[in-house]
Amino acid sequence: MPGLLVGRLGLADARIPHVDRHGLVWLSRGRLFVEDGTLRFVCTESADLDAGDYAIPYQNVSLILLGPGSTVSHDALRILARHGTLLAAVGDGGTKFYTAPPMGQGHSEIARAHARLWANGKTRLDVARKMYALRFGRILPHRDISVLRGIEGGRMKEIYRIEADRQRISWQGRRYDRSRPEGADIPNQAVNHAATFVESAADVAVAAVGALPPLGFIHEDSSNAFTLDVADLYRAEVVIPLAFRVARKALDDKSLNLERTLRREAAMEFRRFKLIPKMIDRIKELFGDHDPGGNPQRQ
């Protein structure tokens, strides 16, 4: 059977299915359970994995991401909790993120660095400027966060306009009524959906490294302010092009389900772009914990 692994948990030479160097294991369309002390995943073929019967050496990974069409047994949850391996349910490609908190990590380096940088006014601004530099491609001299926000706002308006022109969309500006999300025009609805999917990907990345979601450097009030900071790093590069590309399809085909189509295309785009691994690298870079060698034990 393809992908069959013979043996017990924790074998040093065991091949972990679809694991990346960030310590994430992606499983979907199967059943995660424990048999004879071994954590097993039996699945049909999916975008993440060939059909097969896999033993999961969970001691070597930090976070198991369980995709659509999957179930998990009580014993599997118990054994993962005992060994400090995180488990989260995700949408296809990481477009949704569901957990029953608290989530935790076996180490606290990232969380302590995050807290130190956030607690000091100067270093908090330094990190915010680094985030803006990643978006602008250069470090701006301004040290007033409101000025940086204003510059970013102007840049985003221009990016919306350019992408709308590219997709032949009549763009009337960014408009969103939280009380009537379906009342917005198709392009704005598409931006809302795409932004939500990228935010879920950022949720995965923030949880994977053990950073602190409420402590944002640009966003402030939200309970997941730092997640929003990370997601916004990819607004120009991922959210807007993806949203307008699918909005064009929806405008051309009125029978198309916008949310479902966007979710499927987002999943493919996230895999192609390796969005979540890139987010993890960005977070480590911001906190001075860059790990180019990729040591899953430190995730």
Side-chain angles (χ1 to χ4, degrees):
M1 181 178 295
L4 178 65
L5 289 175
V6 179
R8 302 281 295 185
L9 294 171
L11 289 175
D13 59 350
R15 182 173 65 85
I16 307 173
H18 198 82
V19 66
D20 62 31
R21 72 178 184 84
H22 301 84
L24 308 180
V25 174
W26 298 75
L27 306 174
S28 59
R29 309 209 180 283
R31 183 164 58 98
L32 186 66
F33 61 101
V34 177
E35 185 175 81
D36 297 330
T38 298
L39 183 65
R40 294 177 57 195
F41 189 70
V42 177
C43 61
T44 58
E45 184 175 357
S46 68
D48 296 317
L49 209 57
D50 291 333
D53 182 349
Y54 297 89
I56 309 297
Y58 54 87
Q59 299 97 328
N60 295 332
V61 301
S62 60
L63 174 59
I64 294 174
L65 299 168
L66 205 57
S70 302
T71 59
V72 58
S73 72
H74 185 281
D75 277 348
L77 290 171
R78 176 180 53 76
I79 201 168
L80 291 174
R82 178 182 297 169
H83 291 273
T85 303
L86 306 180
L87 175 71
V90 295
D92 193 21
T95 53
K96 297 287 184 179
F97 183 64
Y98 314 103
T99 66
M103 295 275 286
Q105 281 280 336
H107 61 85
S108 62
E109 292 97 326
I110 292 286
R112 284 184 282 121
H114 190 162
R116 278 197 303 271
L117 292 167
W118 184 87
N120 179 290
K122 179 181 179 303
T123 56
R124 190 191 308 178
L125 178 59
D126 287 344
V127 174
R129 293 181 70 211
K130 280 185 183 178
M131 288 183 148
Y132 280 119
L134 291 171
R135 300 189 209 182
F136 298 143
R138 62 193 174 95
I139 297 177
L140 297 182
H142 312 285
R143 299 194 65 82
D144 185 330
I145 194 74
S146 62
V147 172
L148 292 168
R149 285 179 177 139
I151 295 172
E152 169 66 356
R155 188 182 76 103
M156 293 310 300
K157 285 183 180 178
E158 182 64 8
I159 292 173
Y160 279 123
R161 186 191 65 75
I162 291 172
E163 289 297 331
D165 287 347
R166 180 172 295 154
Q167 298 296 339
R168 297 174 289 107
I169 287 174
S170 175
W171 178 245
Q172 304 302 316
R174 185 77 176 106
R175 296 183 176 86
Y176 176 53
D177 183 352
R178 289 185 181 279
S179 64
R180 294 180 58 251
E182 301 301 322
D185 58 23
I186 293 296
N188 270 288
Q189 287 187 47
V191 172
N192 296 340
H193 289 309
T196 299
F197 299 146
V198 171
E199 186 180 323
S200 294
D203 277 326
V204 174
V206 170
V209 301
L212 306 172
L215 304 187
F217 295 89
I218 296 173
H219 293 83
E220 295 177 345
D221 297 331
S222 173
S223 61
N224 65 339
F226 182 62
T227 300
L228 298 177
D229 284 354
V230 174
D232 273 358
L233 294 177
Y234 299 90
R235 179 167 285 267
E237 199 170 6
V238 176
V239 172
I240 298 174
L242 172 67
F244 282 11
R245 188 172 71 240
V246 177
R248 179 70 267 164
K249 292 182 179 180
L251 291 168
D252 291 341
D253 180 359
K254 304 299 183 187
S255 67
L256 185 146
N257 182 301
L258 179 63
E259 191 274 346
R260 184 184 307 138
T261 305
L262 235 167
R263 177 157 38 84
R264 289 174 177 167
E265 297 223 6
M268 291 188 288
E269 180 71 6
F270 291 1
R271 291 189 181 98
R272 184 194 66 77
F273 189 69
K274 300 185 185 306
L275 179 62
I276 292 173
K278 286 182 177 178
M279 287 176 164
I280 290 175
D281 287 339
R282 284 286 193 223
I283 295 171
K284 290 183 174 182
E285 183 183 339
L286 288 168
F287 295 160
D289 189 23
H290 187 49
D291 179 23
N295 181 359
Q297 298 297 326
R298 296 196 66 246
Q299 300 303 314

